[in-house]
Amino acid sequence: MKIFGYQVEPGTRLCEYVKVGELACFSDIRIPVLVIRGEQAGPTLWLTGAVHGDELNGLWAMRRLFWDLAVKDLRGTLVLTPLLNPMAFLARSKISPLDYLDMDQQFPGNPQGLYSERVAHAVFSELRDKADYVIDFHTLNHLFSATPYTVSKIVPGAADSTNKTALSMTRAFGVYPNCRVDLQSASGELPGATSGALDILCMQHNIPCFMAELGGGGRWDEPVIQVAYEGIQNVMVSLGMLAGEPLAPRKQLMITKRKFLRSNVGGLVRMAVEPGSFVPAGGLLATIYDFWQEVDRVYAEQDLFVIAACFNPVVSSGDRLAFVGYEWHEAE
Ligand SMILES: [Zn+2]
């Protein structure tokens, strides 16, 4: 098989760069591509990371897994593009200073477009033809700490089997909290635009895909990297690419409604809750101070599951304090 024009024989691995653009200072813009092709035939699982340039934990999980997996143990092919947005990565930023576009709103991309649209096109046109399954790795932004969770979307236009397979992949990944977002009823619930997102485009092309949200951005978070490292292998086991049993927890939380909680005042926040915890209605979430006094206390208006909490204490009115689930069920 060929990936980005590189021939990959059974029982071999590839570690290469793909040129996706050029800079004014005469350097090429390149993205890394790592492939392991097992000796036995099987599906192609494609992992993508750092489409937002400061979201780094998935990148390291992929790198570690690439060198730990033995080709003789693998059925099928694992393709890793751990760094989709090198210009944003260079700027330690979610988006690139070349065009200020969110690359995860540009798929399927445009070969005649701006930098982010061109990279999106280069990656998606290859992935669309080669991938049977996709996992897209993200993090919350660098101001937050977060418990690792998955997001699978019910995408209008995708086959029922695609929506079901994406869900079973998230379950196999094996983290406790999982967000299930029905795009038909999710208007206003998600942050920002959702069209042009890689996971949605994959689903519309009937390539089962989910997002794994791995902690906060701008740092290595070793426990979260380990969760991703094990989660990828769990999914590979569930797809028949590796032998063994997936190590999913017996109970998992399926969050069907979620939202950001925002501060109404400015000041210095001390969060009273940790990501990954439940807070009953009326429970204290955060206290905000100035240099003389408490200026506000924020309480839960309903039972909540805290997905992510503000890590940086600086808040202005309108800033996000926490990302929470407020409707969920447990699934076995
Ligand atoms: Zn992201």
Side-chain angles (χ1 to χ4, degrees):
M1 78 189 310
K2 279 193 170 175
I3 301 284
F4 290 110
Y6 293 107
Q7 183 68 33
V8 189
E9 301 294 342
T12 65
R13 63 179 87 217
L14 174 88
C15 193
E16 271 295 350
Y17 292 96
V18 178
K19 180 177 171 180
V20 290
E22 294 183 4
L23 291 170
C25 55
F26 317 107
S27 299
D28 288 343
I29 306 173
R30 305 187 302 172
I31 60 167
V33 57
L34 300 89
V35 183
I36 316 177
R37 187 170 174 198
E39 286 169 8
Q40 303 170 62
T44 296
L45 172 64
W46 191 311
L47 311 182
T48 55
V51 67
H52 296 139
D54 61 347
E55 302 182 0
L56 304 175
N57 287 321
L59 186 156
W60 196 261
M62 283 185 240
R63 186 191 185 282
R64 182 176 292 170
L65 185 64
F66 179 77
W67 293 109
D68 283 358
L69 271 184
V71 286
K72 67 175 172 39
D73 295 338
L74 177 67
R75 286 187 60 227
T77 305
L78 183 67
V79 181
L80 312 176
T81 43
L83 174 52
L84 292 186
N85 197 340
M87 290 297 100
F89 171 80
L90 183 63
R92 300 183 183 86
S93 162
K94 176 177 179 173
I95 60 173
S96 150
L98 286 189
D99 57 15
Y100 299 103
L101 291 179
D102 181 339
M103 191 184 284
D104 204 27
Q105 294 175 16
Q106 310 311 321
F107 293 93
N110 175 1
Q112 312 299 328
L114 296 167
Y115 154 79
S116 298
E117 298 172 283
R118 287 175 184 238
V119 178
H121 178 266
V123 172
F124 191 73
S125 51
E126 185 72 9
L127 176 150
R128 180 191 58 214
D129 293 342
K130 306 288 166 64
D132 297 310
Y133 307 96
V134 172
I135 309 175
D136 185 27
F137 288 94
H138 288 255
T139 73
L140 273 286
N141 79 29
H142 65 279
L143 303 175
F144 280 80
S145 56
T147 190
Y149 67 100
T150 69
V151 184
S152 64
K153 294 170 185 167
I154 303 170
V155 177
D160 266 4
S161 60
T162 305
N163 283 317
K164 280 184 184 147
T165 305
L167 176 61
S168 69
M169 286 166 67
T170 68
R171 298 290 308 273
F173 189 74
V175 289
Y176 176 63
N178 301 274
C179 293
R180 186 74 171 146
V181 177
D182 186 340
L183 289 188
Q184 230 149 20
S185 60
S187 59
E189 187 248 357
L190 288 170
T194 58
S195 65
L198 177 58
D199 61 337
I200 294 175
L201 261 289
C202 286
M203 296 290 287
Q204 286 171 340
H205 285 78
N206 285 314
I207 304 167
C209 177
F210 72 89
M211 283 167 49
E213 293 276 0
L214 302 175
R219 68 200 102 135
W220 297 133
D221 186 340
E222 182 54 39
V224 172
I225 290 168
Q226 189 61 26
V227 163
Y229 175 84
E230 290 168 11
I232 298 164
Q233 293 178 83
N234 285 339
V235 173
M236 293 175 74
V237 168
S238 77
L239 297 174
M241 299 175 71
L242 290 174
E245 291 289 322
L247 303 170
R250 199 169 66 76
K251 285 195 168 150
Q252 287 173 306
L253 199 65
M254 305 304 295
I255 297 166
T256 48
K257 295 275 184 198
R258 54 196 193 151
K259 64 181 175 185
F260 281 102
L261 302 177
R262 294 175 185 277
S263 181
N264 292 325
V265 299
L268 301 163
V269 66
R270 300 218 53 145
M271 295 301 297
V273 293
E274 291 284 330
S277 60
F278 291 93
V279 182
L284 180 66
L285 292 168
T287 309
I288 297 154
Y289 300 85
D290 63 17
F291 286 101
W292 293 268
Q293 62 193 338
E294 277 182 29
V295 289
D296 197 15
R297 286 188 184 194
V298 182
Y299 295 95
E301 291 177 351
Q302 61 207 121
D303 291 353
L304 300 175
F305 177 81
V306 181
I307 298 168
C310 188
F311 174 79
N312 186 298
V314 181
V315 290
S316 300
S317 56
D319 276 351
R320 298 177 293 185
L321 296 173
F323 186 42
V324 297
Y326 60 96
E327 276 184 22
W328 61 76
H329 58 272
E330 272 199 331
E332 298 218 17

